[in-house]
Every structure is written in C-alpha cells, then in structure tokens.
Amino acid sequence: MSLRDFAAYLGVSDRTVSNWEGGGAGYLPRAESQAVLDTALSRASDDAKTRFAAAFGSNSGAAPVVGVIEVHSHKFLPVFIGVERARRIREHMTPSAGTDWLESSAARVEHPDAQKCVLYVFACGVAVFHLVQPHEPASLTELAVWRYRSYASDLPWARNKVRDLLGEDHSGVPNPEYVLSLYWLTSSPWTGSTYDTVLRLLSTPSVLVDRGALGGPAPLDGSVEESLLATGFDHPEIVSFGVRGVSTGYAGWSGVAYASHSHERSLTVDELVTCELTVQALWCFTRQIQQMIEDGQDPSMPEQYGWRFLRAAYSRLTAARAQETAQHLLMREAIMKTSGLAERLRAAQDALRESVG
C-alpha cells in the first residue's frame, strides 16, 4: 500500500504514518496507535504475516509451542465487611504471620476449583479470599479467558461464603467487586525476548480476550497471540520489577506476573502474596470510604482506623525500609504504582480528616 492508502486502511492521518516511518526502528508508537497496528497485523493475510515475521528474523508468525506451560494462579477477592463483623469472625481464626502493623487472622476454606483457599480477615474490616489454582493451559489466550470467565462463579461464591460466616441473609451481605491475579510462571517452552513478552502478556491478559462478546468473555483469534509473541508486546501501564539473571517480573492493573530464574536470590511466592494481600486489603478499605462519599455520606471509621491509620499505611508502603532487599522494594513500588493505591490512601486520609475536623 502507499502511505496514504495505509493511513486510510488504519483510520489514521497521513502525518501519523509519516512519523512512524521517519522515526525508524527506535520509534515507539503511542499505546492506542500500537493497538491499531496489532489489530491490523492480526487480520492480515498469512503471506503478509510471514513477510512481517521475516523482517524480525523469524520464519513464521511465532515459534511453535513445544513443551508445557505451567502457571500457578493466585487470585485475591477482597470485600469490606466492617470492623465489628471482622472482630467476630477473627475470634474463631488463627492470627496470620503477615505484617505486624496490619493485623489479620487466617483460616482455610473449601473452594470447588482451588488447590488451596485461605480467607484472611483484617482487623480494619476487610476480608480477602486467596485462591491458589495451578494450570497447564494450551496457550496464554486460554488462560486469559479462564481468568475472566471464572469471575462469574468466584465472586458469587465469595459472597455466599461471607454470608455463611456472618450468619446473615443476602440483603445484608456486601459484594466482593474486584479480582486481582498473581501468576507465578514455573515452566514454559519460550526463551529469550519471547519469554519476556509472555510475562508482559500475563500481567495484562485483557489484550487476548474479547470481554464484550455475546455470551461472555471469548478468546481472540489465535493469530493475535502469535503475532504478539513474534513481535513483542508493551503497554505504558506495565511496570517491570525483575532483576537480570535473577527474575522476570511485571505488574499491571490486572495483577502481577513473575518467574524465578535463581531460587536462592529471587523473591519467594510468600513475599509476593503478602504484598498483594496488604495492597488489596487497603485498596478495599479505601474503596469503602470512596463509596460512602459517592452515596452522599460523611465518611467515618472507628478512631483506630481513621486518617492517622491511613497516614501510617501510606508511609509504610511508600517509604523504603532498611531491612528490605532491592528486589522487594522494586516489587512493592511496581504494585503500588499499577494499583493506584498511593493516591487512594491520600484521598481517603483527607476525606476522613475533613469529616472529623
């Protein structure tokens, strides 16, 4: 195609395509432009895909997947139940060995599809279900579709569990409304730059799924995954926290993807889980304050969990700690940035302080 024809085909201006060409190999299009290009590539003919892949030194759209993909999926489902309800439930639970400043208790619960499920109840009034579900998917797209489709059963399941624990009818039980994932990649057939792309896609699985499809989330054509693995994938909201030769790690809005290359030097799964539990508990806590404001109420919490509690939480999560490793700091900063928790903590702190001032 001519420059003008190609611009018309993509629905962009001639100047935009000129800028891409003029920038050379080092030019990085904006996220929305990259999405248009990725879509065009996925819809291209097999001959065009082959020629495109050849330009990157590959003989096909993507290297064939030979080997097993093994992923441990960790899901976190938080729900705000209130300080008094949390106190009643925690009386029958074991204190957890997480952070000493964000008090919580834990207990195993049964889940129909999880290898392990633990309920954490925080003294500040938040309950978080942690589901561990190992998978051997045939593709990244298959795993992404499972993630979104399982929401339909996981969220009602969590609500019913909370209802049973509280002994209350449906009308008085709050709804879990957020699911975060942590993918621990234990085995894969990929290497080199493709391996890095795999972790990026795991942290942002929405690019492989049509979430608005009739009948629920559906997989995009397999050529989308193939082309992304062949050409690479990036997104402005993905934050890297891996260390060369030690680990590969990315955080995105959907969660975290991590792979250990040196078990003695990398983060442990418990360290990642502890950070996610803390972030999700506080995200849910601040969401409750936001909901009060949106409902036209003056936000309020028990004094021990008022604005001073949030100020302390903000400091603990954003300031470097003398005892933590560089990897742990990078991981915490990446998760804080992609979750937006720092801004939520400041806004909730200001709201609570104004309501008592």
Side-chain angles (χ1 to χ4, degrees), residues 297-346:
Q297 305 174 31
D298 289 330
S300 64
M301 288 288 174
E303 184 177 356
Q304 68 268 37
Y305 302 113
W307 67 269
R308 290 182 177 85
F309 166 74
L310 293 179
R311 180 179 63 182
Y314 179 88
S315 177
R316 288 180 179 277
L317 290 173
T318 58
R321 321 306 293 181
Q323 70 275 20
E324 69 182 348
T325 65
Q327 288 185 80
H328 195 276
L329 174 61
L330 289 171
M331 177 262 292
R332 183 164 50 80
E333 288 179 340
I335 293 175
M336 287 292 290
K337 180 175 181 179
T338 53
S339 67
L341 180 59
E343 293 77 12
R344 298 180 69 90
L345 285 171
R346 286 198 297 265

Side-chain angles (χ1 to χ4, degrees), residues 127-140:
V128 181
F129 291 93
H130 171 213
L131 282 61
V132 183
Q133 297 164 300
H135 278 275
E136 292 187 8
S139 66
L140 299 179

Side-chain angles (χ1 to χ4, degrees), residues 181-193:
S181 292
L182 160 62
Y183 287 131
W184 183 282
L185 184 64
T186 59
S187 177
S188 85
W190 299 288
T191 59
S193 60

Side-chain angles (χ1 to χ4, degrees), residues 63-64 66 185 188-199 229 248 261:
V66 180
L185 184 64
S188 85
W190 299 288
T191 59
S193 60
T194 304
Y195 187 87
D196 187 77
T197 299
V198 167
L199 271 294
L229 291 176
T248 304
H261 311 314

Side-chain angles (χ1 to χ4, degrees), residues 84-95:
E84 180 56 30
R85 284 168 163 173
R87 184 194 63 77
R88 295 202 310 268
I89 295 177
R90 293 181 66 237
E91 289 177 350
H92 309 286
M93 301 174 73
T94 303

Side-chain angles (χ1 to χ4, degrees), residues 242-327:
V243 176
R244 184 181 296 274
V246 176
S247 63
T248 304
Y250 289 100
W253 171 248
S254 296
V256 166
Y258 190 79
S260 169
H261 311 314
S262 173
H263 297 299
E264 299 79 10
R265 300 161 58 199
S266 63
L267 296 168
T268 66
V269 68
D270 288 341
E271 288 175 316
L272 286 159
V273 166
T274 297
C275 184
E276 291 285 21
L277 284 169
T278 300
V279 168
Q280 286 310 294
L282 290 170
W283 190 96
C284 186
F285 184 87
T286 57
R287 169 62 181 147
Q288 177 64 20
I289 295 171
Q290 179 187 17
Q291 189 63 55
M292 291 179 181
I293 296 172
E294 292 176 355
D295 291 342
Q297 305 174 31
D298 289 330
S300 64
M301 288 288 174
E303 184 177 356
Q304 68 268 37
Y305 302 113
W307 67 269
R308 290 182 177 85
F309 166 74
L310 293 179
R311 180 179 63 182
Y314 179 88
S315 177
R316 288 180 179 277
L317 290 173
T318 58
R321 321 306 293 181
Q323 70 275 20
E324 69 182 348
T325 65
Q327 288 185 80

